[in-house]
Structure formats: C-alpha cells, structure tokens
Amino acid sequence: MKLAEITNYLESIAPLNYQEDYDNSGLIVGDPNMDVRAALVALDCIEAIVDEAISTGCNLIITHHPIIFKGLKKLNGKNYIERVVLKAIKNNIALYAIHTNLDSVHTGVNARICERLGLSGTKVLSPKAGLLKKLVTYCPNAQAEQLRSALFYAGGGSIGNYSECSFNADGFGTFKGNEDSDPYVGEKGVRHHEAETRIEMVYPAQAERKILVALFENHPYEEVAYDIYKLENKHQQVGSGMLGWLEYDMDAYDFLHLVKDRMHAKVVRHTALTGKRIKKVAICGGSGSFLLKEAIAAGADAFITADFKYHEFFDAEEKIIIADIGHFETEQFTSNLLVEIIQKKFTNFAIRLTEQNTNPINYLF
C-alpha cells in the first residue's frame, strides 16, 4: 500500500486545514509514494517509539503529537527531536501526525472522551469559523439537475446531518458572443436570453478544487458564470472541546471519582465544589484552559481538561468545577481511536498499537 492512500484517508476524516495555526499535523518525514508494510500508532513520537517500529517491522509511525512543532535549522542529534528524525530517515520510516485537526472534528479525540464518560447529546463546545464557503452559479434549466448532482458528489451541499442541500431560483441570463466565441446556445454577435437556474450551495473550504472541477466539467457553457463567498458561519461539527450530558445528575465528588476511574487518571486537580450536582459537562483533550469562558457560558457544571496554570483555577469563580486530569490522561485513548479508524477502512493492513507509555510525567504517591 502507498503511504498516500493512508494519509489521504486520514485527512478526509480530519482535514489539515482544521488544525490550529501553531500546529504541524500531516506528513513530517517520508515520501507519499513509498510502500508501507505496517504502521505503529502512538500518542508521541519519541526514540523508544522509533525503536519499537524498527523491531516490529513498521515503516510508518502515526502519532497524535507532531515530533516537530517549530522549524529545525540543524540535524545533528543534539536533542530528542533531531535524534528521532535522524533515526526515522536512516531506517526509512515515515512519520505522520494527526493532532489538532483530529481534536477539532466531532468524531475525534473529544468524542472519545465523551464516550468514556458516558456523555450523550454531545456537540462541539466552540465551533470554528472560516471553514465554509458558498458557490453561486447560473445554469440552463435543462442541465441544472446534472450540475447539482455533480456538485453534491464533489462535496457540496452538506450541512450538519443533511446532505444535498441547495437553494435554486429561476430567472434568465443574457449574453452575446463575439466572433471567437463558441456559444452552447444562441448565435455569435446576437444577444441571447436563456432561462436559467441560480444554484447556491455551501461547501467545506478544503473541497474547493473538487467543486470547481465538477462545475467546469458539468456546466454546458463555454464561459461559466459563478461566485464564491467566504462565510462567517461557524462549522457546528468542527471546533474546540465538546459539551455533553450525563444520563443522571451526580454528586460532584462521585463525578470526580468517575472521571478519575474512567480516564485512568493518577490524580485530579480541581477547584472548590460549587454545591451543584453535575449534569452538563464540558471537556477538552489536552490543553483546554482557553475554553473556560465558553464552558461557563454554555452552562456546564464541570470542565474536564488539562494543563491549567495555578492562577487560571481562580477564573472558575465558583461558577464551574475545573478538573485537570493531565495532558496524557485526556489523550491516551487517541491511539486506540486511530487504530479503529484505520482498520475500518483498511481491514487487511498491518497496524500495531504501541506497547510504550510515552507519558513524560511520573507521580509520587
């Protein structure tokens, strides 16, 4: 199997344009056309993971966290990042990361946490803007259905749980071709009136190339009239964190013990209890302190995440319980999620879940 087959599939689930600006998801080391024998999946790409890949015959490592966040000016092995990259290149092992783009999709990292905590009715806590565009075009009535269908197939017209969404209005267009034109209808040099359908549909920004190919290949006119608009609408299924509901409200201490148990956390750092029972819960895998205001505004009784700093705990202001369970602890089940995603598509592909615990933090009890 070619490496590109796997990476293209992963990016169809978690597109690279969904990642945060600071991130470095995608193919970090490797040739997209290389043949992949087997893949090793882990949370972090450290030297022990590369050694495990070598010993198990895997020439692809897929991790949640990218080994490179910032640019490298030298590769001389002076730190673990350079040693990992050098060892991977030396042993012809590809490195691929699927980080905040997987965090952002509604079926990704945060959905797995919600699943483990038994939350239902889940939705994205802070949806992203700037990911949607709208196409408007004008087509002769007779060819409008064919064009609509082609645009739907290319990825247009999907809104939440609905597909093939479009708005259509009848009108007429005018045009006059010059001597070099080859009009589909009408005559050169004569103004023509044609009954047309105005077709509008929303599409994800990453699908634009396919949308335009479908438009030009299925529109009958020599010159296609169309407009593309950037939308400020937030993509309700893409964004940071998630919000969900417990089946029954719980005593706060009982809930914190549930979180500790279900998430295999060594310790739970939390703010003072608010006196309320817990029903609505906000979560964010990894560093989630930036979402505290959104969690409070959403009316969450508790916020489960990691990497809160000392003074940030005061920001709860007795409106919500912050429960910091650790960065590794919130994301440790991501590797299992990735294995399931890949096995669902490539049923005969050799994929391994790492046997290494890559958590750099140890606890003294």
Side-chain angles (χ1 to χ4, degrees), residues 12-123:
S12 71
I13 294 171
L16 293 180
N17 63 308
Y18 289 177
Q19 68 181 305
E20 300 298 330
D21 292 341
Y22 64 81
D23 201 7
N24 190 34
S25 294
L27 185 60
I28 296 173
V29 172
D31 180 352
N33 294 312
M34 68 182 285
D35 292 315
V36 178
R37 299 186 304 273
L40 179 67
V41 177
L43 186 65
D44 305 285
C45 192
I46 58 177
E47 289 181 81
I49 296 298
V50 181
D51 291 336
E52 184 180 4
I54 294 170
S55 66
T56 56
C58 296
N59 63 339
L60 168 62
I61 298 173
I62 301 171
T63 59
H64 185 48
H65 296 137
I67 183 59
I68 300 174
F69 270 106
K70 300 177 181 179
L72 294 177
K73 293 185 177 181
K74 297 179 181 179
L75 276 174
N76 53 31
K78 68 179 180 181
N79 56 45
Y80 84 96
I81 297 173
E82 294 179 8
R83 289 192 295 272
V84 164
V85 174
L86 283 170
K87 185 174 287 188
I89 293 172
K90 181 179 179 180
N91 290 276
N92 197 31
I93 295 174
L95 305 180
Y96 185 86
I98 180 168
H99 189 209
T100 54
N101 50 328
L102 187 61
D103 290 336
S104 294
V105 295
H106 73 287
T107 55
V109 176
N110 294 313
R112 179 51 56 99
I113 298 173
C114 289
E115 181 183 303
R116 292 196 65 83
L117 296 180
L119 303 181
S120 60
T122 56
K123 61 180 181 179

Side-chain angles (χ1 to χ4, degrees), residues 105 166 197:
V105 295
S166 69
T197 301

Side-chain angles (χ1 to χ4, degrees), residues 32-290:
N33 294 312
M34 68 182 285
D35 292 315
V36 178
R37 299 186 304 273
L40 179 67
V41 177
L43 186 65
D44 305 285
C45 192
I46 58 177
E47 289 181 81
I49 296 298
V50 181
D51 291 336
E52 184 180 4
I54 294 170
S55 66
T56 56
C58 296
N59 63 339
L60 168 62
I61 298 173
I62 301 171
T63 59
H64 185 48
H65 296 137
I67 183 59
I68 300 174
F69 270 106
K70 300 177 181 179
L72 294 177
K73 293 185 177 181
K74 297 179 181 179
L75 276 174
N76 53 31
K78 68 179 180 181
N79 56 45
Y80 84 96
I81 297 173
E82 294 179 8
R83 289 192 295 272
V84 164
V85 174
L86 283 170
K87 185 174 287 188
I89 293 172
K90 181 179 179 180
N91 290 276
N92 197 31
I93 295 174
L95 305 180
Y96 185 86
I98 180 168
H99 189 209
T100 54
N101 50 328
L102 187 61
D103 290 336
S104 294
V105 295
H106 73 287
T107 55
V109 176
N110 294 313
R112 179 51 56 99
I113 298 173
C114 289
E115 181 183 303
R116 292 196 65 83
L117 296 180
L119 303 181
S120 60
T122 56
K123 61 180 181 179
V124 173
L125 177 61
S126 181
K128 286 181 179 289
L131 298 177
L132 297 172
K133 292 187 176 183
K134 178 185 279 191
L135 171 73
V136 177
T137 189
Y138 309 85
C139 180
N141 294 342
Q143 288 76 34
E145 180 56 33
Q146 176 185 332
L147 179 57
R148 269 192 301 270
S149 296
L151 293 171
F152 292 150
Y153 185 77
S158 292
I159 303 175
N161 294 323
Y162 296 85
S163 61
E164 302 189 10
C165 304
S166 69
F167 177 78
N168 304 269
D170 290 336
F172 70 89
T174 66
F175 49 85
K176 180 172 71 172
N178 62 25
E179 289 303 313
D180 296 323
S181 67
D182 183 20
Y184 176 74
V185 289
E187 300 177 13
K188 296 179 181 181
V190 178
R191 182 193 301 159
H192 179 76
H193 291 67
E194 180 69 22
E196 295 179 338
T197 301
R198 174 187 170 112
I199 302 172
E200 301 183 24
M201 67 176 63
V202 174
Y203 65 90
Q206 69 271 14
E208 184 158 298
R209 181 177 177 278
K210 290 183 178 179
I211 290 289
L212 292 178
V213 168
L215 173 64
F216 297 137
E217 288 185 349
N218 291 274
H219 199 293
Y221 286 172
E222 181 181 21
E223 297 290 346
V224 180
Y226 69 97
D227 302 303
I228 290 177
Y229 300 95
K230 291 183 178 180
L231 301 181
E232 291 302 315
N233 305 47
K234 292 184 177 180
H235 196 315
Q236 296 300 316
Q237 292 185 311
V238 180
S240 301
M242 292 197 87
L243 190 69
W245 284 258
L246 292 166
E247 185 177 2
Y248 306 103
D249 61 355
M250 296 183 65
D251 171 81
Y253 267 126
D254 290 341
F255 173 71
L256 291 175
H257 280 290
L258 172 77
V259 171
K260 186 174 185 292
D261 178 62
R262 295 278 181 86
M263 298 303 296
H264 299 174
K266 298 292 191 301
V267 64
V268 178
R269 300 191 305 148
H270 65 86
T271 52
L273 305 189
T274 61
K276 297 189 300 181
R277 293 176 68 82
I278 308 300
K279 178 69 173 180
K280 185 187 292 188
V281 180
I283 64 96
C284 179
S287 303
S289 61
F290 70 100

